[in-house]
Amino acid sequence: MAQPMIYKGRPVVRDGNKLYFGEPTNPFMVVLTVLQNVNDVPSRILVQLQNTDPALAFSNDKIVKEAERKNLFDAFEIGSLWLEKQLAEL
């Protein structure tokens, strides 16, 4: 099995148009969804900080924070900030 990509010390896994950032065993992780591409470059990305509690799998409470960014760098930066802050508060 290939090693996952790492960003700021946390794994990043791609599945289709979604990127999962963080450990699924942690209480929170970031999900980046590419909504639009221009010349095969993501130009519209939905960023969500999600609770990983299985009891919230089909609940609106699963999404803690949400934003949209115009490039992957900005999407990863805001997601990383949210994740670090949320995990530090535990």
Side-chain angles (χ1 to χ4, degrees):
M1 183 171 155
Q3 293 292 327
M5 184 172 67
I6 302 294
Y7 180 73
K8 293 193 174 185
R10 300 194 184 278
V12 178
V13 177
R14 179 178 177 222
D15 181 25
N17 68 333
K18 292 186 184 266
L19 295 147
Y20 299 91
F21 174 57
E23 296 282 347
T25 56
N26 285 342
F28 299 93
M29 71 183 307
V30 174
V31 178
L32 308 173
T33 305
V34 177
L35 301 173
Q36 184 177 8
N37 288 306
V38 174
N39 298 325
D40 292 329
V41 176
S43 60
R44 200 169 142 227
I45 300 103
L46 177 65
V47 185
Q48 295 177 323
L49 177 66
Q50 294 186 359
N51 190 318
T52 59
D53 183 351
L56 299 175
F58 300 104
S59 168
N60 288 338
D61 296 333
K62 179 179 180 119
I63 299 170
V64 179
K65 291 187 180 191
E66 184 176 86
E68 206 172 289
R69 293 294 182 262
K70 293 184 179 184
N71 61 61
L72 277 175
F73 178 79
D74 290 344
F76 269 110
E77 283 299 298
I78 192 71
S80 176
L81 289 171
W82 288 347
L83 185 60
E84 292 301 322
K85 183 178 179 185
Q86 199 71 36
L87 292 175
E89 291 177 359
L90 296 177

